[in-house]
């Protein structure tokens, strides 16, 4: 039995996540549109919400337990926790986001799982699910 190989580019995935953190932190509506396959789906512990516009994506990113402390952050860094391939075009990606202050100290953190689709030479967010 051979060693399983991944068919996704790990460096491209890491770059996409770092870029996603920058885009959401900057609240760049046009860039959010390029990174999400809208409409996307947010699946929370109490309800699911369809995200039909970049404004709805940004509103969602402003909510949650880490959001208030994260507003003081000057950097948002992703830590890739796990990747599960779901067919050739889809990945479940578990990410821990670290919100950092000007001295690079963590002021907040949170985890999310994303269903990403490969497309247009990069990835697109289809589903967001917080991990508690």
């Amino acid at each position: 039995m051979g060693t399983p190989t991944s068919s996704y580019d790990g460096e491209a995935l890491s770059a996409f996540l770092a870029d996603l953190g920058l885009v959401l932190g900057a609240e760049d509506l046009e860039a959010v549109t390029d990174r999400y396959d809208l409409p996307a789906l947010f699946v929370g512990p109490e309800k699911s919400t369809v995200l039909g516009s970049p404004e709805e994506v940004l509103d969602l990113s402003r909510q949650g337990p880490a959001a208030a402390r994260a507003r003081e952050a000057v950097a948002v860094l992703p830590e890739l926790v796990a990747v599960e391939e779901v067919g050739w075009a889809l990945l479940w990606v578990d990410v821990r986001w670290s919100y950092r202050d000007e001295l690079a100290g963590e002021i907040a953190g949170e985890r999310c799982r994303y269903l990403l689709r490969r497309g247009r030479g990069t990835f697109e967010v289809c589903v967001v699910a917080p991990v508690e």
Side-chain angles (χ1 to χ4, degrees), residues 66-102:
R69 290 176 301 224
R71 286 189 191 99
E72 302 168 13
V74 296
V76 182
L77 304 176
E79 175 190 341
L80 189 57
V81 177
V83 178
E84 177 186 346
E85 291 187 85
V86 184
W88 68 271
L90 300 173
L91 300 173
W92 272 115
V93 179
D94 190 347
V95 178
R96 181 180 183 282
W97 294 102
S98 177
Y99 299 89
R100 304 293 178 103
D101 63 16
E102 64 278 350

Side-chain angles (χ1 to χ4, degrees), residues 28-42:
D28 183 338
L29 291 175
E30 185 175 330
V32 167
T33 301
D34 291 341
R35 277 117 187 121
Y36 274 73
D37 183 18
L38 298 175
L41 181 63
F42 170 79

Side-chain angles (χ1 to χ4, degrees), residues 54-74:
E55 292 88 359
E56 290 173 322
V57 172
L58 291 176
D59 286 345
L60 177 68
S61 73
R62 294 180 190 119
Q63 300 172 11
R69 290 176 301 224
R71 286 189 191 99
E72 302 168 13
V74 296

Side-chain angles (χ1 to χ4, degrees), residues 5 10-12 16 27-29 38 44 50-51 72 76 81 93 97 99 101 103 107-108 110-112 115 118 121 125:
T5 60
E11 287 182 23
F16 171 80
E27 298 188 358
D28 183 338
L29 291 175
L38 298 175
V50 174
L51 305 170
E72 302 168 13
V76 182
V81 177
V93 179
W97 294 102
Y99 299 89
D101 63 16
L103 300 175
I107 55 177
E110 64 184 347
R111 279 185 53 198
C112 286
L115 182 63
R118 292 174 228 204
V125 176

